[in-house]
Amino acid sequence: MNKSKVFFTREITQQKLIEIYEKLGIKLDGRVAVKVHSGEVGNQNFIRPEFLKDIINSVNGTVVECNTAYEGQRNTTEKHIKAIAKHGWSNYFTVDILDAEEQMELPVKNGKHLKVNYVGKNMQNYDSMLVLSHFKGHPMGGFGGAIKNISIGLASSFGKAVIHGAGEPEKIWTADHDSFLESMVEASETILDYYKQKIVFINIMKNMSVDCDCCAKAKDPQIEDIGILASLDPLALDKACVDLVYASADEGKKHLIERIESRNGTHTLDYAIKRNLGNANYELVEF
């Protein structure tokens, strides 16, 4: 069986970010959207714009985000713009909040939970996408990586409620948990269908708290930094990151592993395999 290539470097530097992107052998062209996590105000762990500056500028990218579906400093466009400025993103980049004004519908093919994925309408203005994900724990998903970043991350505020509610936005915090995890996979499929071969993924395994960057008060990381990984296959990429956490020699990994297991986080990977989102078999190419 063919294996997906996942490139890996233990060096977490701006130069290695550029090198690992080049390893993928894909040149993103046209208008390039760069999906990041802008970080909830108060969060200490999100990946800073200064660190991502060189890789984003190398693809002439526009930083994109979407509004949240929970109370905080990023749940309206007005507040989100202020948070983006506070965290320095607008000092370096043009930033586009994709659902600032409207959303658009992407059909989910043969969805178990979702029929439609609601994403920011401004996504239609971009020809390709670079997905820069901060791999870390997550209060609901167990972990967050590439799959979460293109599902929940690119969904409009309403779309986030739909995914969390497994198709029923009114059940945003009460839906069956595994159904929520499966809904993330179904939503992510629509993004891959939309961009075809013009989307690439980089996961940064740094500052890996058990909490997401969406938490205003996140726990400090208890596992050492691992590195940077990149792939054209988001399933292979996320699985490689999870595998590296389990393989870590750092005793602090037990906290992140407990978060993953207590939220049944690997069910996301299992369902992604079932839905043929990507390839669970991968070749880790370290450089």
Side-chain angles (χ1 to χ4, degrees), residues 3 37 67 77 79 116 126 130 151 162 236 240 252 263 270 284-285:
K3 295 182 177 181
H37 196 304
N67 293 322
T77 298
K79 287 195 288 185
V116 172
Y126 298 93
L130 170 61
S151 56
V162 172
R263 272 61 168 186
D270 294 338
L284 193 66
V285 181

Side-chain angles (χ1 to χ4, degrees), residues 6-10 20 226-230 244 284-287:
V6 178
F7 295 95
F8 172 46
T9 175
R10 298 181 190 273
I20 205 167
I226 290 178
I228 303 171
L229 295 88
L244 283 170
L284 193 66
V285 181
E286 187 168 356
F287 71 98

Side-chain angles (χ1 to χ4, degrees), residues 68-70 113-114 117 138-141 148 151-153 155-184 187 212 214:
T68 63
Y70 55 84
H113 308 288
L114 305 183
N117 182 28
H138 192 275
M140 290 191 69
K148 177 184 173 294
S151 56
I152 291 289
S156 66
S157 182
F158 174 73
K160 287 176 171 63
V162 172
I163 296 170
H164 271 285
E168 300 178 73
E170 67 275 11
K171 294 184 178 179
I172 180 172
W173 307 126
T174 59
D176 172 73
H177 186 71
D178 283 359
S179 296
F180 152 62
L181 299 176
E182 292 171 1
S183 296
M184 284 201 296
C212 181
C214 55

Side-chain angles (χ1 to χ4, degrees), residues 10-27:
R10 298 181 190 273
E11 294 183 43
I12 306 177
T13 65
Q14 295 182 57
Q15 180 58 36
K16 286 296 182 181
L17 266 177
I18 292 176
E19 289 179 21
I20 205 167
Y21 165 73
E22 292 173 345
K23 293 281 186 184
L24 296 172
I26 296 287
K27 179 172 172 34

